[in-house]
Every structure is written in C-alpha cells, then in structure tokens.
Amino acid sequence: MKTEGYLNGEHFDEMFSSEGKARPHYQEYYNYLKKASSKKMRQLQHAANKAQKAMGMTFNVYHDNQGVEKILHLDIVPRIISNTEWKKLEAGLKQRIHALNLFLQDIYNEQKILKDGVVPSELILGSKDFLKPCIGLTPPKGIWCHITGTDLIRDKNGEYYILEDNLRCPSGVSYMLESREIIKRAYPQLFNDEGVMPVSDYPAKLLRMLQYLSDKPKPVVGVLTPGIYNSAYFEHSYLALQMGVELVNGVDLIVKDKIVYMQTTKGLEQIDVLYRRIDDSFLDPLAFNPESMLGIPGIFEAYQAGNIAFANAPGTGVADDKAVYAYVPRIIKYYLGEEPILNNVPTYLCREEEDRTYVLDHMEELVVKQTNAAGGYGMLIGPKSTPAEHEKFRQLIMDNPNNYIAQPTLSLSTVPCLTEDGIDGRHVDLRPYILYGNEIEVIPGALTRVALKKGSLVVNSSQGGGSKDTWVLYN
C-alpha cells in the first residue's frame, strides 16, 4: 500500500514525523502497510464493515430524517500509542479524576473551595447541573465519578491537552471493545508481534467496580437504560450482556419502603447497584423533573437512605460543565497541591468581561462552545464559519454570556486512514475510560474518534465522524 503523497502539513501526525519517516512505535505497522496491496487493505475494510453490521454496532441519530440507526464507521488503520506516552496520560488522568471527585464531595458538603474564592460560587450554585437535593450527601465509598470518558487532543507539537471531562454518562466504550475484536481478526499476527495491551477485561473490571459500591457479599447489579430509542442503546445492552447483569428501564423498577426492586417473572427482587445511563433530571420525577416518564418515583430517596448505589452519582454533571472546565487546573492545585500533569486547552470564559470582549473581537479565530451542550452541537468553529454565523454567535454570547466559552482553534493531530484514494490523514481525538472503585484505573486503550471528511475537525459520531482501534503498547 503506497503512502507517498501522504501530507501531514502543519499538523502533528501520529504515524509519520515531519520528515516523512515512521515513528518508532509505528515502525512494525508501517512495514506491514508497505507490503500490503491496496486490494488487501480494501478487503480488510470490507470485512470490518460487514462485522460491524453483524454485531449491530449502531447508534441512533435523533435529528436524521433518513432513518434512526447508523453504523459508526471503523477505519482499518489502528492508532498506536507508545507505552511512554501512555504512562504520562495515565498519571494525568488519575490526578484529574481524583481532584474532580474531591471537588464534587466539597461543593455538595462544606463548599470550602467556593468560600475560598478559588471557583466562583455563582458559577456552581447557579448551574442547572448543581442538584440541590444532593447537598449534604456523600455517595457510597465517597465516590462520585465512577466512570469517566475524558476527551484529549494533540496540538501541532504533539502535546496532549484535555479537551473535555465527561462525568455524567460517558458513551463509546462498547465501540472500543467491539472494534478491538474486529481489528484483532484483521491483523492476528501483527497484533501479537506488536505487544498490544488488552481491553477485553473492561466488562469484568466494570462489574467489580459496581459490586464494590455495595457492602453486600453478592450485590445485584443492573444497567438502567432510557430504552431502545436512546442513541447509545446498543452500548447499554452490550455492557449488560458482557457483565451478565440485568438491563432494566424505569417501568421494570419499583420502590417500596425506600428499597428498590426489579419486577421479574418470579416476583420482586431487590437491586443494589445501578449503572445508570439516564440523565440526572430524568432519574426520579419526585426529586427532579416531575414530567419524567423514564425515571422511578422514590428512587432518589432510596439512594439517600443508602439502600442503592448509582454509578455515576447524581450531581456529577456540574463538574463537567464547560465553564467549570476552565477552573480544573486550579481545582487540582487546591485539593492536591500539585501542578496538572495534563494541561487544559486555553479557555476564555464569556462570563468574564475581559474574556468576553476578546471573544467578540476574535470570533473568526476561535471555537465557541455552549457550556451545557454535547455531541458537537451548540458550537461555532470560527475559521470555518460564515460572517452571518459569527454575528449570530456574537448575539447569543451578549444575550447569555454565562452560557458560552471559547478556545483557540487547535490543529488536531492526524492519523492515516484508508480512503477512496488510498492512505490519507484525518483529524482525531482520544477518549480513554477511567474507572474509580477500590482504586482509579485507566483502561489501556481508548475510543479514537476520527473526522472522516478531509480537513474536518468535527469527530462526533452524531456529526458524521468514525472511529479507530487504539493500540497501547506494552513496550
């Protein structure tokens, strides 16, 4: 397969140096790629596409009139991360999750960080994601963020930056697991020769973490899903199946005397731990949104009484608000007395006058984000937008400055992909998954999301992005 003409330009390329040479940890795969014919690579891609369809690796797109379910395209060329790089990422992610967990415990209890003025009180207490019913609450084992999917990018110098913290219901881990199975079959010998760290034990680790939240010797665990029309339903059912636990939705559960039961063919069975994939506001119509048809009346009271554990804990959303993100370096220093191992992308807070003035004057150069939006929505990429779109966002910011942040347009790193014309670079981000149970553990793999359209920086699946298998090497 020819790689001549592959241009990484001003971007950092994961496989090739600026001189066009394969990086050391990619050398073995590069040797394979040079020997493989275009026909062979297209056959591997075709087999991967068929395997995805057979596995039902789909996600739902609510706004798409063409149909509900889509396949998340898996590119056959893996992304490879050296062990040295991974160790730094691992240390930085553990540090960040530890600090964010302490932050959540603090803001719902003593609120020291707010009283000390490190984070503005109005930013937290005025956030729609700050749940007043959680004030005074300590979740089982003192853990708030049990499952985190942190988004990272690399700039033109190859430096990793944290782009976003996902502490509510981070999705995509099933694609990481299924993609690995498909890609292992594509390169069986190469996979073994490279020494790739496994990710297949994630469901077992997830189950152990969930069981750890209960003091019972054999707790009953379930995955709580909003149902088949949710965009990540494939993942909910896949993880429940892999863990060997029940997949339940609101109508399957009932609360009696502050104890949660599953309705089964044999009668009621108490459930002790729920891996919830329902947003906070829909969890319990008595405690949160009274119009929720998905939640379970009284389940939050059962949680307060200590009769059920949730992963993640209700109320974690306030810590992954995009405005709070800007304060995470200060949060790390406040609680741990350490400098961040992994840096944030420089962020302008439109709530602050000086930052807002800069954003309004430099809209054409910046990425503007709505603080509580996800999936690539509520976002403006300045250099790729029209004057009319710039003006629209200027007005939105002036109308509600607290609702927006802005960041420089970073040139995301590229990874080779198999395209119609051969091998070409596409922009990627990285979403590793972190479990927090008895200890904090970073799974040695990740969901690499890739912008399939040439030149695009939008990697979200809902916006037409795809994925890659991520190989973390032992050596």
Side-chain angles (χ1 to χ4, degrees), residues 158-170:
E159 189 69 32
Y160 282 100
Y161 287 88
I162 301 278
L163 184 65
E164 201 168 279
D165 302 291
N166 295 292
L167 303 174
R168 304 171 210 223
C169 305

Side-chain angles (χ1 to χ4, degrees), residues 368-385:
V368 182
K369 297 178 181 178
Q370 199 174 320
T371 56
N372 54 9
Y377 299 104
M379 185 166 84
L380 173 94
I381 299 177
K384 294 185 179 290
S385 303

Side-chain angles (χ1 to χ4, degrees), residues 350-351 356 359-360 363 368 380 390-406:
C350 294
R351 68 197 313 278
R356 182 169 66 253
V359 171
L360 294 173
M363 189 76 72
V368 182
L380 173 94
H390 296 154
E391 199 49 49
K392 175 190 168 188
F393 266 76
R394 278 193 186 93
Q395 195 58 53
L396 287 169
I397 290 168
M398 288 189 286
D399 290 345
N400 189 358
N402 289 359
N403 207 28
Y404 292 90
I405 63 160

Side-chain angles (χ1 to χ4, degrees), residues 122-413:
E122 66 274 15
L123 179 65
I124 303 303
L125 305 181
S127 169
K128 72 174 184 61
D129 296 309
F130 181 75
L131 302 186
K132 289 181 175 62
C134 291
I135 292 172
L137 193 148
T138 296
K141 309 291 169 79
I143 305 167
W144 291 82
C145 42
H146 312 86
I147 303 138
T148 308
T150 303
D151 291 340
L152 297 106
I153 57 170
R154 296 182 90 169
D155 71 355
K156 60 184 179 183
N157 300 316
E159 189 69 32
Y160 282 100
Y161 287 88
I162 301 278
L163 184 65
E164 201 168 279
D165 302 291
N166 295 292
L167 303 174
R168 304 171 210 223
C169 305
S171 61
V173 75
S174 59
Y175 301 113
M176 175 186 83
L177 298 171
E178 292 276 55
S179 298
R180 173 58 55 85
E181 292 308 306
I182 293 170
I183 299 299
K184 267 170 75 175
R185 291 203 289 270
Y187 309 109
Q189 188 60 49
L190 181 64
F191 189 85
N192 288 329
D193 293 345
E194 285 273 27
V196 182
M197 296 178 79
V199 295
S200 58
D201 54 355
Y202 176 83
K205 289 178 176 179
L206 177 61
L207 180 59
R208 274 199 303 274
M209 183 275 289
L210 294 169
Q211 290 169 333
Y212 172 75
L213 301 181
S214 172
D215 291 325
K216 290 187 177 179
K218 287 188 177 178
V220 177
V221 176
V223 176
L224 176 61
T225 177
I228 60 170
Y229 296 109
N230 183 266
S231 61
Y233 181 74
F234 163 77
E235 178 157 297
H236 307 165
S237 55
Y238 174 84
L239 290 174
L241 183 66
Q242 292 295 311
M243 288 191 287
V245 303
E246 295 295 332
L247 179 68
V248 295
N249 56 31
V251 296
D252 299 321
L253 302 177
I254 191 168
V255 180
K256 285 188 174 183
D257 301 323
K258 300 183 185 179
I259 294 173
V260 185
Y261 296 94
M262 280 190 301
Q263 300 184 78
T264 74
T265 52
K266 297 176 183 175
L268 296 179
E269 181 183 359
Q270 185 175 349
I271 191 161
D272 306 299
V273 183
L274 278 174
Y275 174 20
R276 64 179 186 94
R277 298 298 294 260
I278 288 182
D279 289 345
D280 290 344
S281 58
F282 294 105
L283 191 57
D284 185 341
L286 300 182
F288 306 115
N289 181 354
E291 295 180 11
S292 171
M293 304 292 287
L294 301 172
I296 305 95
I299 199 168
F300 187 73
E301 196 178 15
Y303 177 65
Q304 287 175 305
N307 294 328
I308 192 160
F310 292 127
N312 286 348
T316 54
V318 69
D320 74 9
D321 182 289
K322 290 180 178 68
V324 174
Y325 158 92
Y327 291 93
V328 175
R330 298 179 214 180
I331 288 169
I332 291 170
K333 194 146 193 185
Y334 182 81
Y335 293 109
L336 305 181
E338 300 168 358
E339 292 296 329
I341 296 167
L342 295 169
N343 292 315
N344 274 15
V345 175
T347 302
Y348 301 97
L349 292 164
C350 294
R351 68 197 313 278
E352 295 181 0
E353 189 177 350
E354 190 179 335
D355 283 9
R356 182 169 66 253
T357 301
Y358 182 85
V359 171
L360 294 173
D361 290 345
H362 296 82
M363 189 76 72
E364 299 81 2
E365 305 160 22
L366 301 169
V367 175
V368 182
K369 297 178 181 178
Q370 199 174 320
T371 56
N372 54 9
Y377 299 104
M379 185 166 84
L380 173 94
I381 299 177
K384 294 185 179 290
S385 303
T386 64
E389 288 167 330
H390 296 154
E391 199 49 49
K392 175 190 168 188
F393 266 76
R394 278 193 186 93
Q395 195 58 53
L396 287 169
I397 290 168
M398 288 189 286
D399 290 345
N400 189 358
N402 289 359
N403 207 28
Y404 292 90
I405 63 160
Q407 296 168 331
T409 311
L410 294 182
S411 56
L412 275 62
S413 64

Side-chain angles (χ1 to χ4, degrees), residues 13-33:
D13 189 75
E14 305 273 335
M15 185 186 283
F16 297 109
S17 68
S18 54
E19 294 84 35
K21 293 180 181 175
R23 300 186 189 278
H25 58 287
Y26 261 103
Q27 190 62 53
E28 204 150 343
Y29 182 79
Y30 178 60
N31 292 340
Y32 173 92
L33 200 57

